[in-house]
Amino acid sequence: MADPSRPHPYQPGAVSLFFVAKAGVFAAAFWIWLLVLVLRTASATGLQVLAATGAITTTLVGVVLGARMALQHSAAVRHAEVKKLLVDISWNAFAAAGNAESTGKVVPFPTAPGDGHRPGIDRVSVLDGGARDRSDRRR
């Protein structure tokens, strides 16, 4: 059974399923109506065209709504996995910062040199102000 303390990710539910089922019921009704009309008459009538149009349209609507519901479900599952991964990454980084003296399983993120960084020249923090030794200034 799922852990009740963990929130469940959003997943399309009853409303989406209701519309998919409703489209399926209407499609089945139109297909049955078309079948009855075709078996009763020999020539094509306006009612047969109406029934065929309704059957095709409601079938397509049901397929599109079903595909949309499936895509929403898979996107919700992927989103929940990404959120869980981000929480795990941040927790591991937090734990690594607390255990900096010991070797851990956490690999630190690589840092790239910033804009304008030249090798051999140290950067000074703005908060340091004039705390640098003035003897190492270049003239």
Side-chain angles (χ1 to χ4, degrees), residues 20-36 51 54-59 62:
V20 171
K22 185 176 180 181
V25 167
F26 274 93
F30 273 114
W31 283 109
I32 291 170
W33 186 36
L34 178 63
L35 181 65
V36 167
I56 291 169
T57 303
T58 54
T59 301

Short mmCIF file of all heavy atoms in Angstrom, two decimals, residues 20-36 51 54-59 62:
data_model
loop_
_atom_site.label_atom_id
_atom_site.label_comp_id
_atom_site.label_asym_id
_atom_site.label_seq_id
_atom_site.Cartn_x
_atom_site.Cartn_y
_atom_site.Cartn_z
N VAL A 20 -14.45 10.71 -21.52
CA VAL A 20 -14.05 9.63 -22.41
C VAL A 20 -15.15 8.58 -22.47
O VAL A 20 -15.52 8.10 -23.56
CB VAL A 20 -12.70 9.01 -21.97
CG1 VAL A 20 -12.38 7.75 -22.76
CG2 VAL A 20 -11.58 10.03 -22.10
N ALA A 21 -15.69 8.21 -21.32
CA ALA A 21 -16.77 7.22 -21.29
C ALA A 21 -18.03 7.74 -21.97
O ALA A 21 -18.71 7.00 -22.69
CB ALA A 21 -17.08 6.82 -19.85
N LYS A 22 -18.35 9.02 -21.77
CA LYS A 22 -19.52 9.62 -22.40
C LYS A 22 -19.37 9.60 -23.92
O LYS A 22 -20.33 9.27 -24.65
CB LYS A 22 -19.69 11.05 -21.89
CG LYS A 22 -20.94 11.73 -22.38
CD LYS A 22 -21.06 13.11 -21.74
CE LYS A 22 -22.31 13.82 -22.21
NZ LYS A 22 -22.43 15.15 -21.62
N ALA A 23 -18.20 9.95 -24.42
CA ALA A 23 -17.96 9.91 -25.86
C ALA A 23 -18.06 8.48 -26.38
O ALA A 23 -18.58 8.24 -27.47
CB ALA A 23 -16.59 10.51 -26.19
N GLY A 24 -17.59 7.51 -25.60
CA GLY A 24 -17.69 6.11 -26.00
C GLY A 24 -19.13 5.63 -26.07
O GLY A 24 -19.51 4.90 -26.99
N VAL A 25 -19.94 6.04 -25.11
CA VAL A 25 -21.36 5.65 -25.10
C VAL A 25 -22.08 6.26 -26.30
O VAL A 25 -22.85 5.57 -27.00
CB VAL A 25 -22.03 6.07 -23.77
CG1 VAL A 25 -23.55 5.97 -23.87
CG2 VAL A 25 -21.51 5.23 -22.63
N PHE A 26 -21.82 7.54 -26.57
CA PHE A 26 -22.46 8.18 -27.72
C PHE A 26 -21.98 7.54 -29.03
O PHE A 26 -22.77 7.35 -29.96
CB PHE A 26 -22.18 9.68 -27.73
CG PHE A 26 -23.15 10.46 -26.91
CD1 PHE A 26 -22.88 10.77 -25.58
CD2 PHE A 26 -24.35 10.90 -27.45
CE1 PHE A 26 -23.77 11.49 -24.83
CE2 PHE A 26 -25.26 11.63 -26.70
CZ PHE A 26 -24.97 11.93 -25.37
N ALA A 27 -20.71 7.23 -29.12
CA ALA A 27 -20.20 6.58 -30.33
C ALA A 27 -20.86 5.22 -30.53
O ALA A 27 -21.26 4.88 -31.66
CB ALA A 27 -18.68 6.43 -30.24
N ALA A 28 -20.97 4.43 -29.46
CA ALA A 28 -21.63 3.12 -29.58
C ALA A 28 -23.08 3.29 -30.01
O ALA A 28 -23.57 2.52 -30.87
CB ALA A 28 -21.54 2.38 -28.24
N ALA A 29 -23.77 4.28 -29.46
CA ALA A 29 -25.17 4.51 -29.84
C ALA A 29 -25.29 4.89 -31.31
O ALA A 29 -26.17 4.37 -32.03
CB ALA A 29 -25.77 5.60 -28.95
N PHE A 30 -24.41 5.77 -31.77
CA PHE A 30 -24.46 6.16 -33.18
C PHE A 30 -24.13 4.98 -34.10
O PHE A 30 -24.75 4.80 -35.15
CB PHE A 30 -23.50 7.32 -33.46
CG PHE A 30 -24.10 8.68 -33.23
CD1 PHE A 30 -23.63 9.50 -32.22
CD2 PHE A 30 -25.13 9.15 -34.03
CE1 PHE A 30 -24.16 10.75 -32.01
CE2 PHE A 30 -25.68 10.41 -33.84
CZ PHE A 30 -25.20 11.22 -32.81
N TRP A 31 -23.13 4.16 -33.72
CA TRP A 31 -22.78 2.99 -34.55
C TRP A 31 -23.95 1.99 -34.59
O TRP A 31 -24.24 1.42 -35.65
CB TRP A 31 -21.51 2.32 -34.05
CG TRP A 31 -20.26 3.07 -34.43
CD1 TRP A 31 -19.44 3.76 -33.60
CD2 TRP A 31 -19.70 3.21 -35.74
NE1 TRP A 31 -18.40 4.33 -34.30
CE2 TRP A 31 -18.55 4.00 -35.63
CE3 TRP A 31 -20.09 2.75 -37.01
CZ2 TRP A 31 -17.76 4.34 -36.73
CZ3 TRP A 31 -19.28 3.09 -38.11
CH2 TRP A 31 -18.15 3.87 -37.97
N ILE A 32 -24.60 1.78 -33.49
CA ILE A 32 -25.75 0.86 -33.47
C ILE A 32 -26.89 1.43 -34.31
O ILE A 32 -27.53 0.71 -35.10
CB ILE A 32 -26.20 0.58 -32.02
CG1 ILE A 32 -25.14 -0.26 -31.30
CG2 ILE A 32 -27.55 -0.13 -31.99
CD1 ILE A 32 -25.36 -0.38 -29.82
N TRP A 33 -27.15 2.73 -34.18
CA TRP A 33 -28.20 3.37 -34.98
C TRP A 33 -27.90 3.24 -36.48
O TRP A 33 -28.77 2.95 -37.29
CB TRP A 33 -28.33 4.83 -34.55
CG TRP A 33 -29.46 5.57 -35.19
CD1 TRP A 33 -30.69 5.10 -35.53
CD2 TRP A 33 -29.43 6.94 -35.58
NE1 TRP A 33 -31.45 6.09 -36.09
CE2 TRP A 33 -30.69 7.25 -36.13
CE3 TRP A 33 -28.48 7.95 -35.49
CZ2 TRP A 33 -31.03 8.51 -36.61
CZ3 TRP A 33 -28.82 9.21 -35.95
CH2 TRP A 33 -30.08 9.49 -36.51
N LEU A 34 -26.63 3.46 -36.85
CA LEU A 34 -26.23 3.33 -38.25
C LEU A 34 -26.42 1.90 -38.74
O LEU A 34 -26.91 1.67 -39.85
CB LEU A 34 -24.77 3.78 -38.43
CG LEU A 34 -24.18 3.65 -39.84
CD1 LEU A 34 -24.96 4.54 -40.81
CD2 LEU A 34 -22.72 4.00 -39.83
N LEU A 35 -26.05 0.93 -37.92
CA LEU A 35 -26.21 -0.47 -38.30
C LEU A 35 -27.69 -0.82 -38.51
O LEU A 35 -28.04 -1.48 -39.50
CB LEU A 35 -25.60 -1.39 -37.23
CG LEU A 35 -25.66 -2.88 -37.50
CD1 LEU A 35 -24.83 -3.23 -38.71
CD2 LEU A 35 -25.21 -3.65 -36.28
N VAL A 36 -28.55 -0.35 -37.63
CA VAL A 36 -29.99 -0.61 -37.77
C VAL A 36 -30.52 0.04 -39.04
O VAL A 36 -31.31 -0.59 -39.80
CB VAL A 36 -30.74 -0.11 -36.51
CG1 VAL A 36 -32.25 -0.08 -36.74
CG2 VAL A 36 -30.39 -0.96 -35.32
N ALA A 51 -26.34 9.49 -39.08
CA ALA A 51 -25.84 8.48 -38.14
C ALA A 51 -24.36 8.20 -38.37
O ALA A 51 -23.58 8.04 -37.42
CB ALA A 51 -26.65 7.20 -38.26
N GLY A 54 -22.37 11.20 -37.07
CA GLY A 54 -22.32 11.16 -35.60
C GLY A 54 -21.42 10.05 -35.09
O GLY A 54 -20.67 10.25 -34.12
N ALA A 55 -21.44 8.89 -35.73
CA ALA A 55 -20.60 7.78 -35.29
C ALA A 55 -19.12 8.10 -35.46
O ALA A 55 -18.30 7.87 -34.55
CB ALA A 55 -20.96 6.51 -36.08
N ILE A 56 -18.76 8.64 -36.60
CA ILE A 56 -17.35 8.97 -36.86
C ILE A 56 -16.89 10.09 -35.94
O ILE A 56 -15.80 10.01 -35.34
CB ILE A 56 -17.16 9.35 -38.34
CG1 ILE A 56 -17.37 8.11 -39.22
CG2 ILE A 56 -15.79 9.95 -38.59
CD1 ILE A 56 -17.46 8.40 -40.69
N THR A 57 -17.70 11.12 -35.79
CA THR A 57 -17.31 12.26 -34.96
C THR A 57 -17.14 11.87 -33.50
O THR A 57 -16.12 12.21 -32.87
CB THR A 57 -18.36 13.39 -35.08
OG1 THR A 57 -18.49 13.75 -36.45
CG2 THR A 57 -17.96 14.59 -34.25
N THR A 58 -18.11 11.15 -32.95
CA THR A 58 -18.00 10.79 -31.53
C THR A 58 -16.88 9.77 -31.29
O THR A 58 -16.25 9.79 -30.23
CB THR A 58 -19.34 10.25 -31.00
OG1 THR A 58 -19.77 9.17 -31.84
CG2 THR A 58 -20.39 11.32 -30.95
N THR A 59 -16.61 8.92 -32.27
CA THR A 59 -15.48 7.99 -32.14
C THR A 59 -14.17 8.76 -32.10
O THR A 59 -13.30 8.49 -31.26
CB THR A 59 -15.48 6.98 -33.30
OG1 THR A 59 -16.71 6.26 -33.29
CG2 THR A 59 -14.32 6.02 -33.18
N GLY A 62 -13.81 10.57 -28.79
CA GLY A 62 -13.43 9.63 -27.74
C GLY A 62 -11.96 9.26 -27.80
O GLY A 62 -11.28 9.18 -26.78
#
